Amino acid sequence: MTRNFLQELLGILLAYVGKTFDRSSKVLDFHHPHQLKEGLEGFSLELPDQPENLEQILVDCRDTLKYGVKTGHPRFFNQLSSGLDVIGLAGEWLTSTANTNMFTFEISPVFILMEEIVLRKMQEKVGWAAEEGDGIFCPGGSMSNLYSLLLARYDRYPEVKTGGMAELPRLALFTSEHSHYSIRKAAAVLGIGTKNVFVVKCDERGKMIPDELESCIIRAKTSGCVPFYVNATAGTTVYGAFDPLHNIADICAKHNLWMHVDAAWGGGLLMSKRHRGKLQGIERASSVTWNPHKMMGVPLQCAALLIRKKGLLQECNQLKAEYLFQPDKQYDVSYDTGDKSIQCGRHVDIFKLWLMWKAKGSEGFSMQVNRCLENAEYLFNCLSKRADFELVCKSKVAPKIKAKMMEEGMVMIGYQPLKDKVNFFRCVFSNPATRKEDVDFLLDEITRLGCGL
Amino acid sequence: MTRNFLQELLGILLAYVGKTFDRSSKVLDFHHPHQLKEGLEGFSLELPDQPENLEQILVDCRDTLKYGVKTGHPRFFNQLSSGLDVIGLAGEWLTSTANTNMFTFEISPVFILMEEIVLRKMQEKVGWAAEEGDGIFCPGGSMSNLYSLLLARYDRYPEVKTGGMAELPRLALFTSEHSHYSIRKAAAVLGIGTKNVFVVKCDERGKMIPDELESCIIRAKTSGCVPFYVNATAGTTVYGAFDPLHNIADICAKHNLWMHVDAAWGGGLLMSKRHRGKLQGIERASSVTWNPHKMMGVPLQCAALLIRKKGLLQECNQLKAEYLFQPDKQYDVSYDTGDKSIQCGRHVDIFKLWLMWKAKGSEGFSMQVNRCLENAEYLFNCLSKRADFELVCKSKVAPKIKAKMMEEGMVMIGYQPLKDKVNFFRCVFSNPATRKEDVDFLLDEITRLGCGL
């Protein structure tokens, strides 16, 4: 029965994968929340007291996919994470079948070692020496950024762990106006407070201006704060801009600040010889956020935090729970990495990345990343040739086009305003399935939908 | 090719599932870290520059499972999460195939609604009125507990979000000596500090003593702290004890404190009419941690935080990132729940639980939970009849038995010391596959391995 059920499920999933890669299939079949809640064609979201039979369960599975969004579709440009890598998918299926947890070598011997090996490889790509480097896979880049702040604070003031912020001076940290909002969120969570996050101005390309950073640091000191941390971004969320890491590293060195690089989006470029130069200076960082589930196309979630200083992660977070981290085990307990985490149970996010790395090799990841950047270049060239695209002047145009796009469901792209700019489209290239024809399709669709307004 | 590859993978996964439920198969095939790293029978963990072929990838998958731990084996008693529910597994496979994220209705229309419906159902089980209640699925119970502290702090002092802890008095919180270490960990992360966590004494059964709680509160006030939060535990990690919730709620009401109930382990009992009485008073809590991946046997990870006060979660955590949470979308944006989270991307943990609920009904979960408690009762009765088990007097006995047990690999159980007690075994019943014969087997094995020392 298990065999038949899972075999039938496989059929449903394979049909979905097939549709995902089929350009004539819609990206989504849009319905409003109330329509889905009312139950479309017998698809009820309500939970029963009595069991449903297996046949109905399979129908529920099919319907769940039917009303979802095909994030692996070649014309899904909406999010920084996209694509549907079949090897990665296989990795996730195996991971959920193994159904285990990352806290100890005892119950995850293979995955714990894979994590160590992959982290080491990523540290090499960052450019750290063999004797440096630690790290952990986190539930998303925002959590990685939170860890970086937590570690920087502990590194400077280890007494914060027991005594709390009450024993510290007023801290200040620095991040650019184009950086991800998770830095400010983490400052709120950690009890530092968002008003102690100094927002540094960017140039017109979205890069942090080093002189502005230095002015902010001096301003913070003058106002009685103690600067301790700078977040530089390698691949901003909207522009994809790379902050000048060497200049920022110089300033951090001068003022003795922790330098974090949020390369959640841009980290993938480290895999490419052709493009890794954009991250020059990252080897000087104290910590790095790098999400393989973004430009490297690894299924969600797969997000790493890398830390240059060995031992700090364990020291900062350990509480030595006796029921998990018994010191009198029969194996080398330095492999019980769970006390490095601020979680207890931690999802196994490593296997799919390890398996994809085996299947593609470093070379394969390099080619994949290069293709994303070729698509971006192609889009840029198309736009510069076309007369039907220009800077939109009314901020309501993009949302209206997006609404029609969602309802038709053939392509998906995000939009947002930014500073003095009105709503504009952000085209993300991380989906390995995307080809030039999809870029053409996107532009034609925007034109068509826009003309109909 | 995709079809054939995934079909072959299915064969490997089905063989693993078959072995998991086969009592004659080992729970684990133990190897030391260095043995695995050296590469056993050609299984290399190292990452290549050039791609491996698909055949080798399938071999890697088989080997990964071979050297892992079968957490769904009927004789795996080692962790609070165990079992391998086939419907839940199907749910995870579908989730990874959908490969999406919980931030907006836009890209997760179905999963967002499922989360709302399941959370509402869980709130009903807790006993909250229809107009109360909010919640979020978190990456594990430790993160749920962290959220509860974060919310309690913000509820009392909303200025903490911008100003940080510097603007607050010295806070104090309370938790029992048997409670989970994540409360102290969260206090460290949030900048409250572990020394401001007052540890309340328990009775000999592991339950918090209400009078001791009240003394701690008074002591904290005398020392100049402001008490704001009490964590009560419903199902402690080692003893499985339930704190007296009504008494604790009375004290919280009297001193105006946030009452959190960590029911990560015991929450499953709310599904059972027979056993839910153990959590009497939980309806008076301000927040509740409840991990369906523990006693309800849902695959990892599946952990909820429930909050009684509507709107607080959003207020506390929102930063209104314009690229994700555009207010000018074509649908009701109150369904974009992503800004309630301290993460940005959030893994889809809801579908497997929703699907299992469909397949079992509330009744099915009730029966499953009842069976876990019947197993526990059976173990208790066995132990009281057997002369070959008694309180161990040397703390090195349990680790030695465990080491031999791991090497033989036929059964797995955890141990730990606790306070004045030396190392003892903790037998967890959450695995739906466990029968009485497995309990018998466990006891006989412990005896056999112990006699050989």
Side-chain angles (χ1 to χ4, degrees):
Chain A
M1 209 175 67
T2 294
R3 185 170 293 269
N4 289 345
F5 171 73
L6 291 176
Q7 185 64 55
E8 285 202 48
L9 177 77
L10 178 68
I12 292 170
L13 299 182
L14 281 172
Y16 179 80
V17 173
K19 273 192 192 161
T20 292
F21 295 135
D22 174 6
R23 290 185 167 78
S24 71
S25 152
K26 288 173 116 181
V27 176
L28 80 160
D29 182 12
F30 181 77
H31 294 87
H32 283 280
H34 66 91
Q35 294 173 310
L36 281 166
K37 280 168 114 172
E38 283 157 10
L40 289 159
E41 300 171 59
F43 178 41
S44 165
L45 296 172
E46 292 304 321
L47 298 170
D49 285 337
Q50 300 301 325
E52 276 182 2
N53 61 38
L54 285 186
E55 210 169 310
Q56 182 58 44
I57 291 296
L58 289 168
V59 172
D60 288 340
C61 287
R62 222 181 38 219
D63 286 345
T64 297
L65 290 171
K66 183 176 167 187
Y67 298 112
V69 176
K70 298 193 194 74
T71 58
H73 194 291
R75 293 171 183 170
F76 178 82
F77 300 95
N78 205 71
Q79 241 72 35
L80 298 183
S81 52
S82 63
L84 185 57
D85 187 279
V86 172
I87 302 291
L89 183 58
E92 273 298 77
W93 290 5
L94 185 144
T95 299
S96 44
T97 310
N99 193 31
T100 192
N101 217 318
M102 290 298 280
F103 26 61
T104 57
F105 177 83
E106 182 175 324
I107 68 153
S108 273
V110 182
F111 300 133
I112 290 276
L113 296 179
M114 284 174 176
E115 187 173 59
E116 182 190 77
I117 286 165
V118 172
L119 284 171
R120 182 62 222 144
K121 200 86 178 175
M122 293 173 83
Q123 286 153 12
E124 276 170 24
K125 297 283 175 194
V126 164
W128 289 340
E131 68 280 5
E132 297 175 316
D134 198 351
I136 192 165
F137 277 79
C138 300
S142 291
M143 295 306 293
S144 301
N145 286 342
L146 183 146
Y147 266 98
S148 74
L149 257 180
L150 181 67
L151 290 165
R153 180 175 72 178
Y154 177 81
D155 191 45
R156 176 78 68 101
Y157 300 104
E159 63 270 31
V160 71
K161 186 172 175 177
T162 51
M165 292 291 286
E167 309 206 344
L168 272 50
R170 192 181 277 268
L171 301 179
L173 59 123
F174 306 86
T175 192
S176 90
E177 53 183 346
H178 279 246
S179 70
H180 193 257
Y181 71 95
S182 52
I183 299 292
R184 287 172 61 231
K185 215 168 231 195
V189 171
L190 299 184
I192 295 169
T194 54
K195 80 171 182 202
N196 298 313
V197 181
F198 286 72
V199 176
V200 184
K201 284 212 177 101
C202 290
D203 65 18
E204 74 292 347
R205 303 280 295 274
K207 295 168 187 279
M208 187 192 278
I209 302 169
D211 284 349
E212 293 283 344
L213 171 61
E214 190 136 31
S215 317
C216 279
I217 293 169
I218 290 159
R219 188 151 43 85
K221 285 183 177 174
T222 313
S223 73
C225 290
V226 176
F228 79 113
Y229 172 102
V230 175
N231 170 60
T233 308
T236 59
T237 314
V238 177
Y239 281 11
F242 288 78
D243 287 346
L245 301 183
H246 269 308
N247 298 341
I248 294 170
D250 289 342
I251 296 169
C252 287
K254 182 173 159 194
H255 295 275
N256 188 28
L257 308 179
W258 181 285
M259 176 180 172
H260 176 64
V261 177
D262 178 358
W265 172 231
L269 267 61
L270 292 170
M271 302 300 290
S272 158
K273 277 199 194 103
R274 198 184 305 163
H275 298 292
R276 59 168 292 129
K278 291 201 173 65
L279 294 102
Q280 258 182 17
I282 194 169
E283 66 282 1
R284 298 173 66 188
S286 309
S287 55
V288 172
T289 289
W290 174 358
N291 293 7
H293 71 217
K294 293 199 164 103
M295 206 179 291
M296 288 164 74
V298 180
L300 289 160
Q301 58 191 28
C302 191
L305 173 73
L306 309 175
I307 306 115
R308 185 135 148 230
K309 189 171 176 178
K310 266 200 167 134
L312 187 66
L313 190 56
Q314 179 88 13
E315 239 185 76
C316 174
N317 291 329
Q318 73 182 359
L319 283 178
K320 301 184 180 173
E322 285 177 322
Y323 77 98
L324 259 185
F325 309 115
Q326 304 93 331
D328 45 10
K329 288 177 179 176
Q330 92 268 33
Y331 59 82
D332 176 355
V333 293
S334 72
Y335 288 96
D336 286 353
T337 56
D339 222 9
K340 291 184 179 180
S341 172
I342 62 168
Q343 302 178 264
C344 174
R346 185 161 60 94
H347 193 258
V348 177
D349 294 331
I350 190 63
F351 181 66
K352 57 198 162 197
L353 172 56
W354 180 87
L355 198 67
M356 283 175 70
W357 208 314
K358 282 274 191 185
K360 287 177 201 290
S362 309
E363 292 293 329
F365 272 126
S366 173
M367 286 190 298
Q368 184 176 319
V369 165
N370 289 346
R371 258 203 315 272
C372 291
L373 279 106
E374 281 158 25
N375 279 332
E377 204 186 329
Y378 179 75
L379 172 66
F380 179 80
N381 290 336
C382 288
L383 283 176
S384 58
K385 278 181 214 146
R386 287 177 73 137
D388 50 354
F389 276 78
E390 54 184 330
L391 185 66
V392 286
C393 298
K394 291 227 167 56
S395 71
K396 287 177 181 166
V397 173
K400 279 189 179 158
I401 291 177
K402 172 74 180 254
K404 288 174 79 176
M405 193 183 271
M406 293 277 286
E407 275 147 28
E408 297 199 5
M410 299 306 292
V411 62
M412 241 177 125
I413 186 171
Y415 70 87
Q416 65 287 302
L418 189 70
K419 309 281 298 173
D420 56 335
K421 295 208 171 46
V422 297
N423 274 318
F424 61 93
F425 288 112
R426 174 189 70 158
C427 192
V428 176
F429 293 106
S430 66
N431 192 334
T434 297
R435 297 284 169 266
K436 288 175 182 163
E437 64 178 287
D438 303 306
V439 179
D440 292 332
F441 181 85
L442 169 72
L443 295 179
D444 290 341
E445 276 294 280
I446 294 179
T447 310
R448 188 178 67 79
L449 295 168
C451 288
L453 288 180
Chain B
M1 208 175 69
T2 295
R3 185 172 294 270
N4 289 346
F5 172 72
L6 290 176
Q7 184 64 56
E8 285 203 48
L9 176 77
L10 178 68
I12 292 169
L13 299 182
L14 281 173
Y16 179 80
V17 173
K19 273 191 193 162
T20 292
F21 296 135
D22 174 7
R23 289 186 167 77
S24 72
S25 151
K26 287 172 117 182
V27 177
L28 80 160
D29 182 11
F30 181 78
H31 293 87
H32 283 280
H34 66 92
Q35 294 173 311
L36 281 166
K37 280 168 113 172
E38 283 156 12
L40 289 159
E41 299 170 60
F43 177 40
S44 165
L45 296 173
E46 292 305 320
L47 298 170
D49 285 338
Q50 301 301 326
E52 276 183 2
N53 61 39
L54 286 187
E55 210 170 311
Q56 182 57 42
I57 291 295
L58 289 168
V59 172
D60 288 340
C61 286
R62 221 181 40 218
D63 286 345
T64 297
L65 290 171
K66 183 175 167 188
Y67 298 111
V69 176
K70 297 193 195 74
T71 58
H73 194 290
R75 292 172 184 168
F76 178 82
F77 300 95
N78 206 70
Q79 242 72 35
L80 298 183
S81 52
S82 63
L84 185 58
D85 186 280
V86 172
I87 303 291
L89 183 59
E92 273 298 77
W93 290 5
L94 185 144
T95 298
S96 45
T97 311
N99 193 30
T100 193
N101 217 317
M102 290 299 279
F103 24 62
T104 57
F105 178 83
E106 181 174 324
I107 67 152
S108 274
V110 182
F111 299 133
I112 290 276
L113 296 179
M114 284 174 176
E115 187 173 60
E116 182 190 76
I117 286 165
V118 173
L119 283 171
R120 181 64 221 143
K121 200 86 176 178
M122 293 174 84
Q123 287 153 12
E124 275 170 25
K125 297 283 174 194
V126 165
W128 289 340
E131 68 280 6
E132 297 175 317
D134 197 349
I136 192 164
F137 277 80
C138 301
S142 290
M143 295 307 291
S144 302
N145 286 341
L146 183 145
Y147 267 97
S148 74
L149 257 180
L150 180 67
L151 290 165
R153 180 175 72 178
Y154 177 80
D155 191 44
R156 175 77 68 99
Y157 300 104
E159 63 271 30
V160 71
K161 186 172 176 178
T162 50
M165 292 292 286
E167 308 205 346
L168 271 50
R170 193 181 275 266
L171 301 180
L173 60 123
F174 307 86
T175 193
S176 91
E177 53 184 346
H178 280 247
S179 70
H180 194 258
Y181 71 96
S182 51
I183 299 293
R184 287 172 62 231
K185 214 166 232 195
V189 171
L190 300 183
I192 296 168
T194 53
K195 79 172 182 201
N196 298 312
V197 180
F198 286 73
V199 176
V200 184
K201 284 214 176 100
C202 290
D203 65 19
E204 73 293 347
R205 304 280 294 274
K207 294 168 188 279
M208 187 192 278
I209 302 169
D211 284 349
E212 293 283 342
L213 171 61
E214 190 137 31
S215 318
C216 279
I217 293 170
I218 290 160
R219 188 151 43 85
K221 285 183 178 173
T222 313
S223 73
C225 290
V226 176
F228 79 113
Y229 171 103
V230 175
N231 170 60
T233 309
T236 59
T237 315
V238 177
Y239 281 11
F242 288 78
D243 287 346
L245 302 183
H246 271 307
N247 299 340
I248 294 171
D250 289 342
I251 295 169
C252 288
K254 182 174 158 193
H255 294 275
N256 188 29
L257 308 178
W258 180 285
M259 176 181 172
H260 175 65
V261 177
D262 178 358
W265 171 231
L269 267 60
L270 292 169
M271 302 300 289
S272 158
K273 276 198 195 103
R274 198 184 304 164
H275 297 292
R276 58 168 293 130
K278 290 200 174 66
L279 293 103
Q280 259 182 16
I282 195 169
E283 67 283 359
R284 297 172 67 189
S286 309
S287 55
V288 172
T289 290
W290 174 357
N291 292 8
H293 72 218
K294 293 199 164 103
M295 207 180 291
M296 289 165 73
V298 179
L300 288 160
Q301 61 189 29
C302 191
L305 174 73
L306 309 175
I307 307 115
R308 186 136 146 229
K309 189 172 177 177
K310 266 200 168 133
L312 187 66
L313 190 56
Q314 178 88 14
E315 240 185 75
C316 174
N317 291 330
Q318 73 183 358
L319 283 178
K320 300 184 182 173
E322 285 177 323
Y323 78 97
L324 259 185
F325 309 115
Q326 305 93 331
D328 45 10
K329 287 177 178 176
Q330 92 269 33
Y331 59 83
D332 177 355
V333 294
S334 72
Y335 287 96
D336 286 354
T337 56
D339 222 9
K340 291 184 179 181
S341 172
I342 61 169
Q343 303 177 263
C344 173
R346 185 161 61 93
H347 193 257
V348 177
D349 295 332
I350 191 62
F351 181 66
K352 57 198 161 197
L353 171 56
W354 179 87
L355 197 68
M356 282 174 70
W357 208 313
K358 283 273 192 185
K360 288 176 200 292
S362 309
E363 292 294 329
F365 272 125
S366 174
M367 286 190 299
Q368 184 175 319
V369 165
N370 289 346
R371 257 201 317 270
C372 291
L373 279 105
E374 280 158 27
N375 278 332
E377 205 187 328
Y378 178 74
L379 172 66
F380 179 80
N381 290 335
C382 288
L383 284 175
S384 59
K385 279 181 216 145
R386 288 177 74 138
D388 50 353
F389 276 79
E390 54 185 328
L391 186 66
V392 286
C393 297
K394 293 230 166 56
S395 71
K396 286 178 181 164
V397 174
K400 280 191 179 156
I401 291 177
K402 171 74 179 257
K404 288 174 79 176
M405 193 183 272
M406 293 276 286
E407 274 147 28
E408 297 200 6
M410 298 306 292
V411 63
M412 241 178 127
I413 186 171
Y415 71 87
Q416 65 288 303
L418 190 69
K419 309 281 297 174
D420 57 335
K421 295 206 172 46
V422 297
N423 274 318
F424 60 94
F425 288 112
R426 174 189 69 158
C427 192
V428 176
F429 293 105
S430 65
N431 192 333
T434 297
R435 297 285 169 266
K436 287 174 183 163
E437 63 178 286
D438 302 307
V439 179
D440 292 333
F441 181 85
L442 168 72
L443 296 179
D444 290 340
E445 276 295 278
I446 293 179
T447 310
R448 187 178 67 78
L449 296 167
C451 287
L453 288 180

